[in-house]
Amino acid sequence: MPSKNEGNQPAKRLPPLASWPTIKILAPPKGRFSPKTDEWCWTYCSQSVTGRYHGKEPTCRSVCIRKVFPHEVRNIVAFKTHRNLGPDGKARYPLPSEGQPANLPRWLGGKLPIEDEDEDAPWHKPPPEPIKHWDEGWYLWTSSSRYAIHEKLNSMRRDLPGQQKADQQTEFRREVWQEYQAHLEKGDQSADASKWWGPIVPLQPFPEFRSKSLLVPFPLESPLFWDRMSKVFAPTHKALDIFQEMIQSAEAREFAERIWHKAWTKDPFVLVSKTFSMWYKMLKDSDTSPDDDRKST
C-alpha cells in the first residue's frame, strides 16, 4: 500500500505544449549512407532472326551517367577511410582502362601521336602517359559490348575501392589464362610448369571488351573537342548575331510595323484569292485529256 507521504506529493508539472502534437524533421544521412542516386544507366539490345540462327552476338548499346560525390575521393569528417592520397588531398583510384588517355580518341582527350624524330638522332623512349584517377564530378560511360554491360551492372554495387580491386582481379585472371595458354602451346615440361599439372585449369576470363567501351568526364576537358564544336556552330552563331542586329535596328522595327498594318488591309485577302484561283485553273487544265481537246476543236 502507498504511504501517506507518497499520496501527498504534488503532481509533476509538464513542460508547456507537452500535450500538443509534435512534428519531427528528419535529415537524410549524408556521405556513404546517403540515399541519393549516383548512377543512371540506359541499355538497349536487339537481335535479328539470322543472327539468332547463326549464334551471333546481339547488338547492344548502353549509356551510363555517374556522379562521384566528395566523400568518395576525399577524407571528410566521420568518413576518413581513404589511404592512398595525392598531393591535393584526394584519393588516387585509377580510372578503368577505357577511361585512360591511351585508349581514348584524340578529340576526346586521348594521347597525341608521337612526332617522328630525326633518323640520325638517338631513339628516346617516350615518357609513359599519366594515369587518370577518379575525381568528384560527372562521368559519361558508353559501350556496345554485352560483356562490358554485364560488368558495368556488377560494378554498380561496388564503391571505388571495390571497383579497383575487381579490376585487378580481372586483370590477374587474364594474365594467368594467357600464361596457361602459352604453356599449352609450348608443351613445357620443366619444373616451373609443374603448377599447371593436374585436372584443375584456371578459369577463362571474359573476352576483351574494354576496346568497345568509353569513359570520359562530363563536361569534357578536351580543347580539341571544343575547338571542333566551335567550328561546327560558328555559322549558327553568325546567323544569330545577324538576327539580333536586325531586331535591334530601327529598319527591322519599321518593317515589322509595315507588315502589321498591311495585314489589316484587303491586300492579303486579294493575294490569297488570286493564288487559289490560279491554282484551281491549273488543276482544271491538267485534268483535261488530249482527246477532249480534239473533240472540242
Side-chain angles (χ1 to χ4, degrees), residues 250-265 267-268:
E251 297 178 356
R253 191 179 299 106
E254 294 176 359
F255 180 70
E257 292 177 356
R258 289 175 58 185
I259 293 177
W260 175 257
H261 292 303
K262 198 71 175 180
W264 295 99
T265 62
D267 295 340

Side-chain angles (χ1 to χ4, degrees), residues 147-162:
Y147 297 104
I149 297 173
H150 180 269
E151 184 65 22
K152 183 63 177 178
L153 295 179
N154 287 335
S155 68
M156 293 180 71
R157 61 186 180 89
R158 307 189 190 102
D159 54 5
L160 296 184

Side-chain angles (χ1 to χ4, degrees), residues 206-226:
F206 281 150
E208 201 282 325
F209 54 82
R210 300 291 186 180
S211 59
K212 298 181 180 180
S213 305
L214 193 68
L215 177 65
V216 292
F218 188 81
L220 294 175
E221 302 175 353
S222 175
L224 185 60
F225 172 81
W226 294 114

